[in-house]
Amino acid sequence: QVQLVESGGGLVQAGGSLRLSCAASGRTFSGYAMGWFRQAPGKEREFVVAISWSGGIKSYADSVKGRFTISRDNAKNTVYLQMNSLKPEDTAVYTCAAGGRDYGSTRWSEYDYWGQGTQVTVSS
């Protein structure tokens, strides 16, 4: 079992930045690819970004490329999502996930563990 706890969400003005963290406990964190997904009210859940277990492969949704950066610190069992140039359309609950095959899948169903989510609200 892997437990995931997100933090760092909040309210920010458009153009601002936030850094989300996802702390893992339980089984060996470094063996899992990690992903971030988000879901806005009334919308489908969507893939945001993923990172392979080694950190060598990163995948980004087109909507966040150039603005968001994922990283991981296996010594701290934590994955980070740095979000810059935030837009109102980035408003959503952001959830981290562990599993996703070795490379970091874009599919929610291919992850094995999920956090509870953290709210990100971007005001215009």
Side-chain angles (χ1 to χ4, degrees):
Q1 286 284 352
V2 174
Q3 292 78 43
L4 303 173
V5 178
E6 302 96 336
S7 61
L11 173 64
V12 64
Q13 289 188 330
S17 299
L18 284 174
R19 188 176 81 155
L20 305 184
S21 299
C22 175
S25 60
R27 297 185 68 178
T28 305
F29 171 77
S30 60
Y32 290 93
M34 299 294 295
W36 285 95
F37 294 80
R38 67 186 183 186
Q39 187 167 21
K43 294 188 176 181
E44 297 284 323
R45 182 186 302 113
E46 64 175 352
F47 167 77
V48 179
V49 61
I51 187 168
S52 63
W53 67 270
S54 68
I57 301 172
K58 301 176 183 180
S59 302
Y60 294 90
D62 288 343
S63 59
V64 305
K65 280 181 182 177
R67 300 188 298 122
F68 290 13
T69 303
I70 190 170
S71 61
R72 66 188 296 161
D73 185 337
N74 287 343
K76 296 183 177 180
N77 289 354
T78 303
V79 64
Y80 304 98
L81 179 60
Q82 178 66 44
M83 306 186 296
N84 298 329
S85 301
L86 283 162
K87 304 175 181 180
E89 51 263 44
D90 294 318
T91 295
V93 174
Y94 285 70
T95 303
C96 70
R101 304 181 181 270
D102 292 338
Y103 55 87
S105 174
T106 62
R107 298 182 178 182
W108 175 266
S109 61
E110 292 185 342
Y111 286 81
D112 303 307
Y113 305 100
W114 303 269
Q116 294 298 308
T118 186
Q119 176 70 47
V120 171
T121 303
V122 184
S123 62
S124 57

